[in-house]
Amino acid sequence: MIAVRSSMLRVLVVAAAGATLLSGCGGSGANTGAAQTPSTPRDRLVLTAAEFPAGSTELDLPQDKLNATVGDVAKTQQNATYSPAECGATQHDLGATLNAVMTEASFAAATYGNSNFLIETVASTVADLSTFTRNIQRCPDVTMTTTTEDGKTVTTGTSVTELPVPPDLSGMHAVAYKSTSSTASAVTPLSTITFAGYATLRGLTVGVRVMAVGDAPDQAAFDQLFTSAVHKVQQAA
């Protein structure tokens, strides 16, 4: 296991937030099917280092640093402006929602290959995946503009398209998508591509993301991660 630098932690928090929050946008938030919820503690439902794709290196996410970074990211998202404006309505509420959701989810993260980050969450809420899909169809391209503390403008454009779920998850309540984001900044321009998947089962939402900085993520690693994460919750006591 390796420690996470502050710059990397911010990237992972944004990704982890997406894995929980974006799946819940417009969702019921209700823990339906509570009778079927696993008795296994939630933090033991996320994948262990040995269960990540071969060649992965587990990342250590200290809770105190994670919480502090969550607050910073939430504030940035809450104060941002969005184009088209109507696509930012839900995003403006993320500040309070982010803090709430992060207390109701367990996380695991790892690096893979030269540029891939793997993130998994198991959240104690049930996302409305049909609403999530409609949100993607309504706002496939969104631009977010923020201002840093020293007055610099940072603009991030994100495009989202749907993906087929891995074959082993066919027929389940699951969705997958690909997002491409480019951040224009005078200091740290950044381009990322992400494969993400969400599944609801047993009163929980499982979210996974494979993100690559400046490169394309590994599709096979994503399929394996998504399938393994869902099957672990499916088979848990």
Side-chain angles (χ1 to χ4, degrees):
M1 182 184 296
I2 61 175
V4 180
R5 300 187 304 272
S6 59
S7 58
M8 184 188 298
L9 181 61
R10 184 176 179 86
V11 171
L12 290 173
V13 165
V14 172
T20 53
L21 288 173
L22 292 181
S23 65
C25 287
S28 66
N31 194 357
T32 58
Q36 299 178 4
T37 301
S39 59
T40 302
R42 190 185 62 215
D43 62 357
R44 290 172 56 193
L45 294 175
V46 296
L47 299 176
T48 65
E51 293 170 322
F52 273 99
S56 302
T57 301
E58 187 180 14
L59 293 173
D60 180 26
L61 300 177
Q63 193 62 44
D64 56 343
K65 293 183 179 180
L66 182 64
N67 290 341
T69 306
V70 164
D72 292 341
V73 172
K75 183 178 179 180
T76 298
Q77 292 177 323
Q78 192 173 38
N79 294 332
T81 57
Y82 297 86
S83 177
E86 60 269 22
C87 294
T90 302
Q91 301 296 322
H92 284 144
D93 293 331
L94 288 185
T97 307
L98 177 58
N99 287 292
V101 170
M102 294 297 259
T103 64
E104 294 294 328
S106 297
F107 304 87
T111 60
Y112 179 79
N114 293 326
S115 62
N116 284 222
F117 293 103
L118 284 56
I119 305 101
E120 182 205 3
T121 64
V122 176
S124 299
T125 57
V126 177
D128 184 342
L129 299 185
S130 62
T131 300
F132 171 55
T133 299
R134 288 195 296 272
N135 287 344
I136 292 177
Q137 293 171 342
R138 186 178 66 246
C139 295
D141 300 286
V142 179
T143 300
M144 179 181 75
T145 302
T146 60
T147 303
T148 63
E149 292 183 356
D150 56 359
K152 293 183 174 64
T153 298
V154 179
T155 301
T156 301
T158 302
S159 297
V160 183
T161 57
E162 293 182 63
L163 289 175
V165 299
D168 286 352
L169 303 184
S170 178
M172 299 188 66
H173 287 145
V175 296
Y177 76 84
K178 173 185 176 181
S179 67
T180 303
S181 296
S182 295
T183 298
S185 168
V187 180
T188 54
L190 187 66
S191 176
T192 62
I193 300 175
T194 302
F195 294 148
Y198 307 110
T200 58
L201 68 160
R202 306 188 69 184
L204 304 168
T205 297
V206 176
V208 302
R209 293 167 76 87
V210 176
M211 178 181 65
V213 179
D215 201 354
D218 188 313
Q219 178 88 49
F222 167 71
D223 286 349
Q224 180 184 343
L225 181 69
F226 196 10
T227 301
S228 296
V230 172
H231 283 177
K232 183 166 186 174
V233 172
Q234 189 178 42
Q235 297 166 7

